[in-house]
Amino acid sequence: MQKLRFTHKGSLFLYAAVVLLQFMFGGAQHSFAASDAYPLNVPHMLGTTALPREPERIVTLGWSGEDAVLAFGKKPVAMTRYGSFPSGIFPWNEAKLSGEKPVLLSGDLNFEAIAALRPDLILGVYSGIDQIAYKRLSAIAPTIVYRSAPWGADWREQTEITGEALGQKAEAKQRITDTNIFLNKLGAQSPELKGKTFVFGTYFAGGNSVVVYLPKDPRVQALSELGLQPSATVKALAHKNPEETSVSVSLEEIGTLDADILIMWYGDGARAAAEAQPLFQRLEAVKRGSYVALDDPVSVWSTSALSVLSIPYGFPQFVPRLAEAARAAEIK
């Protein structure tokens, strides 16, 4: 990989810094006032959940559910543990927890442990909770999941549903608008991204295939907001798998994944294993340097567990790398 030069206009970084500060410390501009909207009903794919009063003991399950709760000024009593970080907590959430230590959950759903927390709301919007798990969780506390599909809710859906559950629909709408503006500005200030094709995937060490994310996946949707577009191969895979957010492509067929930009996230040891594959090294994107490898925890999680907090935290570093790759793709 060639060394990144980060030669972008200073205005991009100035804008990103200003917006990030607004997102992190803009509480004075948002009321977070207790809502008088209760009781209320929140519809989702697995039912309609009644909330008789404003929830105070919130448990979040799946990915980045705590981000949305924290964005609305609430602190979960329990949330997902992310083992890539020493504290188990995303760095963009540390300050918002103000030193509080929620219970961190990992592994399979432990219904007894969740019940012991005495929650009055369980949120699993970006999760794979199925009907059976939903029924068991609903017996513990009002439970709200996705409207789209298991593991299909993007950051907008998560923000919207969480805002409804917390009686802050207007604040949710504003948060979504602010984040859209942020993404569009980043894309506009990196015009080399517009129209470039991309593949976003991952590889697990020891595997014989690459996981490729399809247009329904939140990662792909966010990059499309920047002006990029999924490659023709990705679109064809989506057409063959209309209900899926990702598919596996064997290493023998990896040559079909070429695009202007190749983006891959990796867990421990996976990058070296992928880059050791001769077929991987033959990809045009790899040979010309339009390949972006995400292998540190912040870049991996801020581009995968998307939220109104992770996007302004991670994308100011991610977008310049994409722009660098886009410029490399223009060199014939």
Side-chain angles (χ1 to χ4, degrees):
M1 290 292 292
Q2 62 186 34
K3 186 177 180 180
L4 300 177
R5 295 189 299 273
F6 294 99
T7 56
H8 283 66
K9 298 178 181 178
S11 57
L12 170 60
F13 298 104
L14 177 60
Y15 172 82
V18 170
V19 175
L20 176 56
L21 287 171
Q22 290 175 339
F23 268 76
M24 292 180 68
F25 304 108
Q29 301 174 22
H30 303 283
S31 66
F32 298 130
S35 173
D36 60 359
Y38 298 91
L40 55 77
N41 296 314
V42 181
H44 49 86
M45 179 170 280
L46 300 182
T48 297
T49 298
L51 295 175
R53 63 187 64 84
E54 184 175 2
E56 295 297 335
R57 297 186 59 80
I58 304 168
V59 170
T60 61
L61 304 174
W63 285 7
S64 61
E66 69 279 6
D67 292 31
V69 172
L70 289 165
F72 291 116
K74 295 277 192 178
K75 297 180 179 68
V77 296
M79 60 195 216
T80 298
R81 175 189 295 277
Y82 303 95
S84 300
F85 300 95
S87 67
I89 298 169
F90 290 145
W92 48 89
N93 288 333
E94 294 275 9
K96 287 189 173 291
L97 284 168
S98 304
E100 292 192 20
K101 302 293 184 182
V103 173
L104 300 181
L105 306 171
S106 60
D108 295 335
L109 286 175
N110 185 327
F111 298 99
E112 290 75 17
I114 293 171
L117 293 165
R118 298 179 291 107
D120 51 15
L121 175 62
I122 300 171
L123 287 169
V125 183
Y126 189 28
S127 76
I129 293 171
D130 59 17
Q131 186 70 56
I132 295 172
Y134 171 71
K135 287 182 178 179
R136 292 191 65 181
L137 291 169
S138 295
I140 298 171
T143 300
I144 298 171
V145 297
Y146 40 82
R147 288 176 181 150
S148 51
W151 295 113
D154 66 6
W155 60 268
R156 295 178 184 85
E157 181 177 337
Q158 183 147 251
T159 304
E160 178 182 0
I161 293 176
T162 303
E164 287 184 30
L166 300 182
Q168 298 190 49
K169 291 180 70 172
E171 174 67 21
K173 183 178 180 180
Q174 187 61 54
R175 286 282 181 176
I176 292 169
T177 297
D178 290 346
T179 307
N180 281 333
I181 291 171
F182 180 80
L183 284 171
N184 291 336
K185 284 279 190 177
L186 286 179
Q189 295 194 39
S190 295
E192 55 269 81
L193 298 179
K194 188 172 180 61
K196 293 293 193 301
T197 61
F198 74 96
V199 171
F200 199 149
T202 189
Y203 174 77
F204 299 100
N208 60 3
S209 63
V210 170
V211 175
V212 176
Y213 298 107
L214 303 180
K216 283 189 175 183
D217 186 88
R219 303 168 183 81
V220 178
Q221 294 171 6
L223 295 190
S224 298
E225 290 287 329
L226 297 173
L228 296 167
Q229 59 177 317
S231 71
T233 299
V234 170
K235 291 178 181 177
L237 289 170
H239 182 73
K240 293 178 181 178
N241 303 273
E243 302 303 319
E244 302 299 325
T245 57
S246 66
V247 295
S248 294
V249 175
S250 69
L251 290 176
E252 289 76 14
E253 298 177 324
I254 196 174
T256 65
L257 299 181
D258 237 335
D260 292 327
I261 302 172
L262 173 65
I263 308 151
M264 298 283 290
W265 74 262
Y266 298 108
D268 291 342
R271 177 177 178 178
E275 293 177 355
Q277 300 287 338
L279 291 173
F280 186 87
Q281 289 296 328
R282 290 177 196 158
L283 290 170
E284 289 299 321
V286 175
K287 290 193 292 184
R288 66 175 168 251
S290 58
Y291 158 52
V292 178
L294 307 172
D295 58 353
D296 67 280
V298 169
S299 67
V300 168
W301 283 100
S302 65
T303 57
S304 292
L306 298 174
S307 74
V308 294
L309 299 184
S310 68
I311 289 172
Y313 188 95
F315 271 57
Q317 291 75 46
F318 182 39
V319 173
R321 298 183 66 186
L322 294 174
E324 184 87 3
R327 288 195 295 275
E330 294 172 353
I331 301 173
K332 303 299 183 182

